[in-house]
Amino acid sequence: MPQLPSPLTLPRKPSEPRALRRRRRKESATAWAFITPSVIVILGLSVLPVIWSLLLSFQADDLVTPSRWVGLENYHALSQDPNFHQAVRNTLLYTVLYVPLSIAIGLALALALNRRIRFVGLYRTLFFVPFVISATAQGVLFSFILDPQFGAANSVLNHLGISPQGFLTDPSQALLVLVAITLWSGTGLCTVIYLAALQDVQPSLVEAARLDGAGRLQILRHVTLPSLAPVSVFLLLWQTIQSLQVFDLVYVTTKGGPLGSTTVIVYFIWEQAFKEFTAGYGAAAAYVLAVALIIVGVVMRVVRRERTPRRTKAAAS
């Protein structure tokens, strides 16, 4: 009768020495000691205020007397408030004008500065410098330049034989002037990002297109722009978020005027919370803006996911 093989047994793993376990616990305690202050700061300055403001949006609170729970009344009042509707329209108009123009001008400048020209480094710096200037400083600067009576802009227009303009004091011009100021400062970011992305465009694709007889416009349309698509989606999302949150420039220059023509959502929130002392109403408006930002982010993410498989299929074919 054949003999059955003896079962195989793996040797037991020796238990960790007590000194090693003590050392690991000590390292973990040290790590938590370093990161605990950061965790407390993050919780105290971001998470807790978000939760508190969400609860505040369901209350009637003037920041002085005890708050009163009102449920969805603040949101219902927002839906019927003409001032809020005007702020939404102004914000949407500002976004629709600023975002595509900043991306288009940034792309054009990047294409122009991507060539080997003299003093190209100086030109790149000059176009980026306005971006690092704070919105407050921009507002003060252009308030002097665009002053209807003593500003340099009307002085130049007078020498050209053009009648003086109201600029920031004219309800029909104020929002457009704010868009122009933001373009002056915000286009530099798009230019720099596009310049970096243009460095990653494969020269072999460009050379192959030239050998096939493609001109500059055809190379731009079929080679350069498809390569810049991920960067364009990022800039579209970034610029949209920035334009929906514009506040500093409005506060310094027009304070929502004239006649509410430059009142944007964030300024409306600040005005309701700290000027009218209706903190709960302002918190409700802030959460309407937050939902809008989340929707924008989700839509951009879905669009990017759909474009990625298409580019992969096109490259494979």
Side-chain angles (χ1 to χ4, degrees):
M1 182 175 179
Q3 186 177 4
L4 295 176
S6 59
L8 295 176
T9 57
L10 296 176
R12 291 186 177 182
K13 184 178 179 180
S15 59
E16 294 181 352
R18 183 177 302 176
L20 181 59
R21 292 197 301 270
R22 188 183 301 113
R23 179 182 177 183
R24 290 185 175 179
R25 286 196 297 267
K26 184 178 180 181
E27 291 178 351
S28 299
T30 304
W32 277 107
F34 277 107
I35 67 174
T36 297
S38 300
V39 172
I40 294 175
V41 170
I42 292 173
L43 292 175
L45 297 181
S46 60
V47 178
L48 293 181
V50 167
I51 298 174
W52 178 76
S53 60
L54 177 62
L55 297 176
L56 185 63
S57 67
F58 299 106
Q59 303 175 29
D61 194 337
D62 58 1
L63 300 177
V64 179
T65 59
S67 59
R68 177 172 54 88
W69 187 267
V70 294
L72 297 176
E73 289 185 10
N74 287 328
Y75 294 94
H76 180 68
L78 280 175
S79 64
Q80 299 179 344
D81 189 347
N83 294 326
F84 179 70
H85 295 168
Q86 183 183 21
V88 172
R89 288 195 299 268
N90 292 337
T91 305
L92 292 178
L93 179 59
Y94 178 91
T95 302
V96 169
L97 292 175
Y98 169 67
V99 174
L101 285 175
S102 64
I103 294 177
I105 296 174
L107 176 60
L109 291 176
L111 292 172
L113 296 176
N114 196 40
R115 303 177 180 180
R116 295 181 179 179
I117 57 178
R118 196 175 182 183
F119 304 122
V120 65
L122 175 62
Y123 299 146
R124 293 175 179 177
T125 303
L126 291 177
F127 280 114
F128 185 71
V129 163
F131 176 74
V132 301
I133 301 176
S134 67
T136 303
Q138 296 172 30
V140 173
L141 173 64
F142 281 98
S143 294
F144 283 107
I145 294 175
L146 301 176
D147 186 271
Q149 296 180 353
F150 308 105
N154 273 333
S155 178
V156 173
L157 293 178
N158 186 29
H159 285 291
L160 296 176
I162 302 175
S163 59
Q165 303 295 316
F167 296 119
L168 294 173
T169 60
D170 189 342
S172 63
Q173 298 179 2
L175 188 64
L176 299 179
V177 172
L178 290 181
V179 173
I181 296 173
T182 316
L183 284 174
W184 173 79
S185 61
T187 305
L189 176 66
C190 298
T191 303
V192 170
I193 293 179
Y194 271 129
L195 274 172
L198 286 172
Q199 308 301 319
D200 292 334
V201 177
Q202 298 181 8
S204 59
L205 296 177
V206 178
E207 292 297 329
R210 288 176 180 173
L211 292 176
D212 290 338
R216 290 185 176 179
L217 292 179
Q218 292 175 325
I219 293 175
L220 175 64
R221 178 181 177 183
H222 299 287
V223 178
T224 306
L225 292 181
S227 301
L228 299 178
V231 176
S232 299
V233 173
F234 164 75
L235 285 176
L236 181 62
L237 175 61
W238 177 264
Q239 296 292 79
T240 301
I241 292 175
Q242 294 299 313
S243 60
L244 290 177
Q245 298 182 100
V246 62
F247 171 75
D248 297 351
L249 188 62
V250 175
Y251 180 80
V252 175
T253 55
T254 64
K255 289 183 170 54
L259 301 178
S261 60
T262 60
T263 300
V264 291
I265 294 181
V266 178
Y267 186 83
F268 176 84
I269 294 170
W270 174 86
E271 193 174 38
Q272 294 301 317
F274 301 106
K275 192 175 180 180
E276 302 294 335
F277 293 101
T278 53
Y281 193 61
Y287 266 89
V288 172
L289 175 61
V291 171
L293 293 175
I294 293 173
I295 292 174
V296 169
V298 171
V299 170
M300 293 298 178
R301 189 175 184 86
V302 171
V303 170
R304 187 172 183 179
R305 283 184 178 181
E306 290 181 353
R307 291 180 62 92
T308 301
R310 293 179 182 176
R311 291 197 303 268
T312 304
K313 293 180 181 178
S317 60

